[in-house]
Amino acid sequence: QGLITCLWNNLIDSLWLLDFTLRIIELLVLIWWTVAWPSGGPRAAIQADKVLCWATLVAGAVRDSVQLLTMAWVWTLKHNGHPEDKPTMRSMWRLSSPTFVHFAVPRMAVLSVQIIFVLHAQHSLGISSDISEFEQVLLAGLVMIKAAGLCFVFRFCTGGSKIYAILYSVLGGATREMLVITFMVFWAVALALICLAPDRSADWVIANSYRSLLYDDESAFGGLNLSEVDTNVMGAQLSMLTLGSIVFKFILLNLLIAVYGNEYNQVAPDTNMLFLHGRAQACVVYFTSCHLLPWRGQELNRELKVVAATLVLLGFVLHTSATLEPWKWTIAALFASAQLLWQMSLAQREWFSVEGEASNNRPHFLWMCHREVAGDSPHQSVEDRFREVRQAQKAMEERLCGVEAKLDHIIELLASR
């Protein structure tokens, strides 16, 4: 716990906070574009800076791509760096390991959707241009995925630690079985209603079956055309809906709630352990995906941050002063470079590297605990710490010598008797 807490608080927390902030910005940009894209209708008065939105999304896609490539490269180097006689260490750094796959596969899926959207939408950046129906679907999917991803990344924060208990409760064996049973019962009722409503399309019947079974929506009953079919068929439909409602809502849903509550009560005591496991994996993922440049001194680290801030300002200046269309790729490149440089600077630490030793060739020692006392300087050097430790060691040795002398005296008295 101390090791993970020390590494997170002193190194990874700033990387996570930057990643969380960039995700919020991308989600806000998507929402802005979503609200303002119709050139007509009730939202026609809302104007979005489409070029700025597009450049921000392209920069995010470039950043994620570079992170994936960097992580794959670092993991390959670590895997090849371990000899064949250490299969455990080699298997831990395989590109097929669970840690890498759980990070890379979802990120690649989201990245693919985002790249397809920005490539299609680059031709719809005019003031009066509307995005196509295919781009609308991609935009809606991106908004949903980015919002869900933001909630999922929040689990690394202390306030979001309960997300682990919720997630593992949903993934529990009993909960999964009840979800499968509920899904099967719903499809059994929906397929039966499809047979009894031949004048309606299958997707229409399934949608209205879902609304009627789960929400008791009166319009859903009307959508099944109960009043326009034969009396016998209508009676069969009503019987099927009644039976499905009883089984689906009053039995299965209540059982599902009870099973989920039981799973949550079993997982809740292990929330802290799951939270630490998640942070440990996040430490590996964030550092190996953002560590592009090793430590080269405090001056270079400060210069990287200054250059990153300058690139962001230059991108905004270019966006506001130049003709938009020809410079949109340049603006996106400036934003992406700024994000990568800022992440690179935050991943640099003098006392930590991916190779197991600090930049001064000393082994890693993480100060996991420190009791603050009066007069203790937070900027005390390492040499002063060593001097205090040696003095405390000397005092302890003197006390041990005194205890040893007393024991010898007591042994002599016992022997004389």
Side-chain angles (χ1 to χ4, degrees):
Q1 294 180 13
L3 181 67
I4 297 172
T5 302
C6 176
L7 190 59
W8 183 273
N9 292 341
N10 294 281
L11 176 60
I12 307 300
D13 185 56
S14 57
L15 288 171
W16 170 82
L17 186 60
L18 176 62
D19 180 62
F20 191 73
T21 303
L22 294 176
R23 286 173 178 271
I24 292 177
I25 293 174
E26 289 187 17
L27 180 60
L28 292 177
V29 163
L30 286 169
I31 294 174
W32 187 19
W33 199 344
T34 301
V35 172
W37 76 260
S39 57
R43 298 205 301 261
I46 304 175
Q47 296 294 327
D49 195 335
K50 297 180 182 179
V51 175
L52 182 62
C53 296
W54 183 87
T56 304
L57 294 177
V58 172
V62 173
R63 184 193 74 247
D64 289 343
S65 301
V66 174
Q67 281 185 337
L68 281 173
L69 293 175
T70 304
M71 186 175 175
W73 176 63
V74 172
W75 279 59
T76 302
L77 290 179
K78 297 292 289 182
H79 177 266
N80 296 333
H82 292 288
E84 296 287 347
D85 58 350
K86 293 183 178 180
T88 302
M89 297 301 296
R90 287 179 63 87
S91 64
M92 186 175 66
W93 293 103
R94 289 198 318 263
L95 295 183
S96 59
S97 63
T99 302
F100 185 85
V101 171
H102 291 165
F103 170 79
V105 172
R107 185 67 64 93
M108 290 176 63
V110 178
L111 184 59
S112 301
V113 177
Q114 189 166 342
I115 291 176
I116 294 173
F117 173 74
V118 296
L119 290 178
H120 279 80
Q122 64 175 320
H123 306 295
S124 307
L125 301 180
I127 298 176
S128 59
S129 301
D130 282 343
I131 59 178
S132 63
E133 293 183 359
F134 177 67
E135 293 165 359
Q136 294 174 30
V137 174
L138 292 176
L139 183 60
L142 274 177
V143 171
M144 183 177 64
I145 293 172
K146 292 288 185 180
L150 189 65
C151 297
F152 196 61
V153 172
F154 186 68
R155 74 190 190 279
F156 298 131
C157 176
T158 306
S161 60
K162 294 296 183 182
I163 295 177
Y164 286 98
I166 297 172
L167 180 63
Y168 279 86
S169 300
V170 173
L171 298 177
T175 307
R176 290 201 308 267
E177 292 175 1
M178 285 302 305
L179 286 173
V180 171
I181 295 173
T182 305
F183 184 76
M184 292 172 63
V185 170
F186 167 75
W187 274 103
V189 176
L191 291 174
L193 291 175
I194 290 175
C195 296
L196 296 174
D199 56 336
R200 289 292 186 179
S201 62
D203 55 349
W204 179 269
V205 175
I206 292 172
N208 283 278
S209 300
Y210 174 78
R211 292 165 56 190
S212 61
L213 289 176
L214 194 62
Y215 301 112
D216 276 339
D217 190 351
E218 293 183 2
S219 61
F221 288 99
L224 292 174
N225 258 4
L226 294 181
S227 60
E228 300 178 8
V229 297
D230 186 77
T231 306
N232 295 328
V233 176
M234 184 176 66
Q237 286 185 342
L238 288 174
S239 302
M240 191 63 62
L241 283 174
T242 303
L243 180 62
S245 298
I246 294 174
V247 175
F248 190 77
K249 286 189 297 188
F250 296 104
I251 298 177
L252 289 180
L253 290 184
N254 284 286
L255 280 176
L256 181 60
I257 294 171
V259 169
Y260 175 78
N262 183 56
E263 289 285 337
Y264 184 85
N265 292 333
Q266 293 180 3
V267 176
D270 299 330
T271 300
N272 292 333
M273 181 191 67
L274 297 173
F275 177 63
L276 288 174
H277 286 176
R279 274 197 168 183
Q281 291 182 345
C283 289
V284 176
V285 168
Y286 274 113
F287 190 78
T288 55
S289 62
C290 300
H291 192 258
L292 297 173
L293 185 67
W295 177 264
R296 291 290 185 270
Q298 186 66 38
E299 217 172 291
L300 178 60
N301 185 269
R302 192 181 301 112
E303 290 174 356
L304 289 175
K305 295 178 181 178
V306 172
V307 172
T310 304
L311 291 176
V312 173
L313 293 176
L314 183 60
F316 278 108
V317 170
L318 186 63
H319 171 66
T320 55
S321 61
T323 305
L324 298 182
E325 285 294 333
W327 293 96
K328 61 179 183 293
W329 286 103
T330 305
I331 297 170
L334 290 174
F335 287 166
S337 301
Q339 295 176 19
L340 291 171
L341 287 176
W342 198 274
Q343 283 184 336
M344 189 190 308
S345 66
L346 294 179
Q348 288 183 334
R349 287 296 185 273
E350 183 181 7
W351 50 272
F352 191 80
S353 75
V354 79
E355 299 303 328
E357 61 182 16
S359 60
N360 53 10
N361 296 326
R362 288 182 177 177
H364 285 166
F365 290 98
L366 301 181
W367 293 95
M368 293 181 289
C369 301
H370 178 247
R371 182 174 60 88
E372 294 185 357
V373 294
D376 190 14
S377 174
H379 304 289
Q380 195 172 12
S381 64
V382 178
E383 288 75 13
D384 293 338
R385 296 282 189 189
F386 284 144
R387 191 180 301 110
E388 291 180 0
V389 171
R390 287 193 293 269
Q391 291 175 356
Q393 183 180 1
K394 185 177 179 181
M396 183 62 67
E397 289 176 352
E398 292 177 355
R399 294 184 64 182
L400 289 176
C401 290
V403 172
E404 186 178 358
K406 291 180 181 180
L407 288 175
D408 291 341
H409 180 65
I410 293 173
I411 292 172
E412 289 178 359
L413 291 178
L414 293 175
S416 62
R417 294 182 180 180

